[in-house]
Amino acid sequence: MKNKIIIIYKSSTGFTKKYAEMIAEEIGCTLADYKTAAVETLSHYDTVVFGTRAHAGMIDGYKKIKKMFQKSAAGHFVLFVTGASPDTSEDTLNAFWSQNLSAEELEKIPHFYMPAGLCYEKMSFPDKLMMKTAAAFMKRSVKKKQEKTEMDLAVERMISSSYDISDKTYINPLVSYLKTTAADHT
């Protein structure tokens, strides 16, 4: 008999790992690092949950894990993405998902977003440079301070230093899904 659920996480600064551990603890499932994931590993589970970060508008590691899943004997795939954006408006999230998933994937793959934060101390040098450049650009933006929207100012403040907006409540929709719907796939 196969095990029910495995969570594979790809974490660069620790936020995705933190969420993956919270989810695994809540539902009592196996947890594995993306670096050790293999088709054979995934094949031992009915449901594969992949957690990763949004990086430069993309889902980091998605193409590779999707190929592994397709080659595996696992039957169900779920995705969660962590990110630095506190903007979880439906329009913003829909644009992100549409940019990264095909229409078929949007329909078939349950997907969840969890606000996390930035940790400059654990970032790779290229990522740190990219973020610091973006922060400097925003500060020198052509818009005068009085013309910037509240969102412009909030983003400018947020990307100028490390912060953590992760919260256990963000796992609730995914945990609820896994406890009900994913269990039906086993």
Side-chain angles (χ1 to χ4, degrees):
M1 182 174 140
K2 283 187 181 182
N3 297 306
K4 290 186 176 191
I5 301 171
I6 186 170
I7 298 174
I8 307 289
Y9 66 88
K10 185 173 194 295
S11 190
S12 298
T13 59
F15 292 110
T16 304
K17 181 180 180 184
K18 179 179 171 180
Y19 276 124
E21 289 171 342
M22 285 190 270
I23 296 162
E25 182 180 325
E26 192 71 28
I27 62 171
C29 69
T30 304
L31 185 64
D33 192 309
Y34 175 83
K35 295 172 195 162
T36 63
V39 172
E40 297 77 29
T41 307
L42 275 58
S43 292
H44 292 287
Y45 295 88
D46 293 311
T47 300
V48 174
V49 178
F50 178 55
T52 189
R53 66 181 176 157
H55 183 256
M58 304 300 289
I59 300 173
D60 191 21
Y62 176 66
K63 288 180 183 179
K64 182 179 173 185
I65 200 79
K66 183 172 85 169
K67 285 180 186 175
M68 276 195 271
F69 173 76
Q70 290 169 340
K71 291 178 182 177
S72 79
H76 193 61
F77 186 78
V78 180
L79 175 65
F80 79 87
V81 176
T82 63
S85 177
D87 182 4
T88 55
S89 69
E90 193 172 332
D91 290 344
T92 300
L93 292 177
N94 285 342
F96 172 77
W97 294 120
S98 295
Q99 177 181 325
N100 286 281
L101 303 175
S102 69
E104 182 182 356
E105 290 171 324
L106 283 168
E107 187 177 314
K108 291 186 176 186
I109 299 173
H111 46 279
F112 302 84
Y113 176 79
M114 297 172 196
L118 285 175
C119 183
Y120 282 106
E121 298 77 16
K122 293 182 182 178
M123 267 186 204
S124 67
F125 178 75
D127 286 349
K128 193 181 300 187
L129 182 62
M130 178 180 69
M131 292 305 298
K132 290 292 187 181
T133 302
F137 177 77
M138 289 188 77
K139 283 185 180 183
R140 288 188 290 253
S141 168
V142 247
K143 288 182 180 178
K144 295 177 184 164
K145 190 170 185 171
Q146 61 269 27
E147 293 176 356
K148 291 184 180 180
T149 66
E150 282 300 316
M151 182 57 104
D152 291 338
L153 294 170
V155 170
E156 189 177 301
R157 279 189 307 272
M158 290 186 90
I159 67 172
S160 64
S161 62
S162 296
Y163 64 93
D164 182 349
I165 55 173
S166 59
D167 189 284
K168 191 171 183 175
T169 60
Y170 293 127
I171 72 169
N172 292 340
L174 175 54
V175 166
S176 177
Y177 174 82
L178 291 172
K179 285 183 175 179
T180 57
T181 312
D184 295 340
H185 293 279
T186 59

